[in-house]
Amino acid sequence: MATDTLLRGTPVVPGVAFAPALVVRAEVSPEAVARFDTSQYADAEAALAAYDQAAQAVADGFLRKAAGVSGDAAKVLTASAGLARDKGLRGAVSKHLRGGDDLLASVHAGVEQFVTVFTGMGGLMAERVTDLRDIERRITAHLVGEPEPGVGAPEAPCVLVAEDLAPSDTAGLDPAVVLALVTERGGPTSHTAIIARQLAIPCVVGVGGATALANGTPLLVDGAAGTVETDAADAEARVAADAEQRAALAAWEGPGRTADGVPVKILANVADAESARRAASAPVQGVGLFRTELCFLNRKEEPSAEEQASIYGGVLDAFHGGGRYVVVRTLDAGSDKPVGFATHDGEENPALGVRGLRLSFDNPGLMDRQLDAIAAAAAATGTETWVMAPMVATVAEAHEFAGKVHARGLKAGVMVEVPSAALLAHRMLEAVDFLSIGTNDLTQYTMAADRMATDLAHLTDPWQPAVLQLIAITAEAGRQARKPVGVCGEAAADPLLACVLVGMGITSLSMAAAAVRPVGARLAGVPLDLCEEAAEAALAASDPGAGRTAVRELLG
Ligand code: PEP
Ligand code: MG
């Protein structure tokens, strides 16, 4: 195979998909603008008609996206649709056309006129300047015949190819239309990876040169091999073989246990009521990680405790009864998940800054109000509710947090994401009822490697023996204290690594619903003593590759 037909990246979500590329760009390409032929319009009226068509297409795109989401996100998108069709904006464009400007220049001048007016008005109107510039880019894209910049609302089946995807880009993506994700940046624990797992679509990240692919190029994405092929002759056969394999895994129905019957709770990671309802239909015993900050990515003002309680209640409701429970994580705002009302702006090094539990240092009310809302939702739904804090670094933080949670009658835990928390896990467990290991951040902080850095993907690998050593220390502390220690980072979604974790003494594995059956089915085939052998082999390995090979040989 010629090298230019095969791109390689980091495999993230297994599965094979075949569809045309939809390359997401942040800007309209300058080449397309330069090629634009303004003489195609006979007069200003014809040019204005083309503007109307483009503006309507942009508005329709926003409305389609709005229909797929709810709450504030839907309101913002509907307002953007209105702005794209704004009569005043159309009038300004028309005036410039009649004055002799060409169409693209007229759109730009009309938008700039509005930018000046909105900026002068200040406040909320000034904040809409970003939306105006976004609308200009989208209208321009339609006029020059390119797809709209940003993710938009794809209609036909596609492989989404982007430099990177922010959590807000991926809100409302439809897995029936977006069949796979390919990004140039990001590692196995990036948010693109997390979203792909949630959507259960194949995903490869860190694919150099992916955005240089032409739109519409048929792509065969293999999420297990980490490859993207542009000229695969056997594409359909490979998609069919993959579907067959998935169907076999889909037969696993839980509950989680090893081949010799040792119980291991298999739990789901969720982001909102909708993903919780989807997860509740998978064979899981509850939720091991409800990422509450993902409910508020678009919010500038802190939602009231009542509104928060109703949002959390939507998730808790889906897991009422049947011995199931939900672990709610308090806001992990900051770093790669900025939340308008919580995050500190302008930090030099936000991953090491004020994020997670640290936001309560100078704003204790933020956490108190959230805990009140969680307790209210737990009382209203009657669902067993555990609460944990992210980014805990000291035993004193664990004691203070546990005090607040216990005062509200709920079980308290902390996440083990900072190496200091793993090293002192036995003392953390004197304060809390459970621990949950966030392997994404634990890997980032142990290896001093940004989880988003493509060039460091070999370091941000949870199979790194140093990371596994910290997990083993934490699991052993749980065994001694007879308290549950789970894993809720992406490591839990890797069927091979899941067996290693269980061999170390991990008592629950929490993952995107799509990973539940592959992990549950794998674990069901391996007895505990073999899991323990696998743990020893992975810990003794010199690097992640050697660890994977050794464990694969052991487990078959
Ligand atoms: C983690 O760090 O492993 C984790 C589960 O938290 P997040 O990915 O949301 O930072
Ligand atoms: Mg984390």
Side-chain angles (χ1 to χ4, degrees):
M1 181 182 300
T3 49
D4 59 350
T5 65
L6 174 70
L7 302 176
R8 281 186 190 281
T10 307
V12 173
V13 181
V16 179
F18 181 59
L22 178 64
V23 183
V24 177
R25 299 179 203 285
E27 299 289 339
V28 183
S29 71
E31 296 79 23
V33 171
R35 275 198 309 270
F36 180 68
D37 176 15
T38 191
S39 68
Q40 62 186 294
Y41 308 114
D43 51 25
E45 210 171 307
L48 190 62
Y51 168 83
D52 284 339
Q53 225 176 15
Q56 187 63 52
V58 170
D60 289 347
F62 281 130
L63 291 176
R64 267 196 306 280
K65 212 170 171 196
V69 295
S70 55
D72 275 11
K75 279 188 212 149
V76 169
L77 289 162
T78 309
S80 293
L83 194 54
R85 293 286 297 136
D86 187 87
K87 285 203 174 72
L89 180 58
R90 180 182 191 270
V93 172
S94 164
K95 196 168 129 220
H96 284 279
L97 281 171
R98 279 186 274 109
D101 286 344
D102 75 33
L103 182 50
L104 295 188
S106 297
V107 172
H108 181 66
V111 166
E112 280 311 304
Q113 203 171 311
F114 264 60
V115 165
T116 310
V117 174
F118 280 19
T119 309
M121 288 161 90
L124 278 179
M125 293 312 280
E127 284 171 15
R128 305 228 54 202
V129 165
T130 315
D131 300 339
L132 271 172
R133 296 210 196 278
D134 181 43
I135 285 167
E136 179 189 344
R137 278 193 294 270
R138 288 172 191 275
I139 291 179
T140 306
H142 276 278
L143 292 173
V144 303
E146 278 205 339
E148 289 184 25
V151 171
E155 282 168 44
C158 63
V159 172
L160 208 59
V161 179
E163 193 182 329
D164 200 5
L165 294 167
S168 51
D169 283 333
T170 49
L173 279 190
D174 179 357
V177 177
V178 177
L179 303 189
L181 295 181
V182 172
T183 60
E184 282 200 350
R185 286 166 43 81
T189 58
S190 63
H191 283 283
T192 300
I194 292 169
I195 293 290
R197 281 213 177 86
Q198 267 165 17
L199 295 174
I201 53 177
C203 175
V204 186
V205 300
V207 183
T211 58
L213 288 165
N215 241 322
T217 310
L219 297 182
L220 182 74
V221 180
D222 185 332
T227 54
V228 179
E229 294 168 45
T230 56
D231 197 15
D234 52 354
E236 257 131 49
R238 283 167 62 187
V239 171
D242 176 64
E244 207 172 297
Q245 207 177 0
R246 284 198 210 204
L249 291 177
W252 185 79
E253 279 305 330
R257 57 177 156 231
T258 59
D260 50 342
V262 178
V264 177
K265 289 205 163 67
I266 302 287
L267 307 168
N269 291 354
V270 304
D272 52 24
E274 200 184 313
S275 57
R277 280 191 291 272
R278 273 201 308 270
S281 64
V284 294
Q285 287 149 285
V287 168
L289 171 63
F290 169 21
R291 289 181 164 100
T292 56
E293 66 282 356
L294 298 186
C295 301
F296 307 119
L297 291 174
N298 298 317
R299 301 292 286 256
K300 296 200 169 67
E301 307 288 336
E302 182 186 337
S304 66
E306 292 72 34
E307 187 187 346
Q308 289 190 49
S310 132
I311 293 170
Y312 306 150
V315 170
L316 296 183
D317 235 359
F319 285 91
H320 179 70
R324 294 175 302 172
Y325 63 103
V326 174
V327 183
V328 183
R329 175 172 78 182
T330 54
L331 282 180
D332 187 25
S335 190
D336 51 342
K337 286 172 289 189
V339 172
F341 60 85
T343 322
H344 287 217
D345 285 335
E347 291 185 310
E348 293 268 323
N349 200 345
L352 300 182
V354 184
R355 62 170 289 201
L357 170 120
R358 298 168 183 190
L359 290 163
S360 66
F361 292 169
D362 70 347
N363 187 2
L366 183 68
M367 177 177 283
D368 289 340
R369 287 184 291 276
Q370 186 176 26
L371 292 177
D372 287 342
I374 296 168
T381 57
T383 300
E384 184 178 342
T385 305
W386 303 10
V387 189
M388 66 181 180
M391 283 298 286
V392 172
T394 71
V395 175
E397 288 166 3
H399 274 288
E400 194 180 336
F401 179 73
K404 286 175 184 245
V405 176
H406 288 153
R408 289 166 172 89
L410 302 171
K411 269 197 188 175
V414 293
M415 289 191 74
V416 174
E417 298 179 286
V418 183
S420 62
L423 294 169
L424 294 183
H426 59 297
R427 290 177 55 195
M428 297 279 175
L429 281 167
E430 289 167 8
V432 297
D433 308 303
F434 69 97
L435 298 176
S436 181
I437 306 175
T439 45
N440 309 337
D441 277 315
L442 185 61
T443 305
Q444 152 163 275
Y445 296 126
T446 302
M447 304 307 295
D450 184 345
R451 63 194 267 183
M452 302 299 293
T454 307
D455 299 345
L456 303 180
H458 63 294
L459 294 177
T460 54
D461 186 328
W463 283 84
Q464 281 289 350
V467 177
L468 295 178
Q469 192 68 55
L470 289 171
I471 296 173
I473 290 171
T474 311
E476 181 53 28
R479 254 205 279 236
Q480 304 258 340
R482 295 177 187 280
K483 290 186 177 177
V485 175
V487 170
C488 65
E490 295 304 292
D494 172 344
L496 213 55
L497 189 49
C499 298
V500 168
L501 298 172
V502 168
M504 289 175 177
I506 291 298
T507 58
S508 68
L509 299 163
S510 190
M511 64 207 76
V516 162
R517 286 187 167 91
V519 169
R522 180 60 138 150
L523 194 60
V526 186
L528 183 63
D529 57 354
L530 201 49
C531 290
E532 287 170 349
E533 261 185 70
E536 271 172 41
L539 282 163
S542 52
D543 58 54
R548 281 190 178 92
T549 306
V551 171
R552 202 171 283 131
E553 272 170 19
L554 262 177
L555 303 189

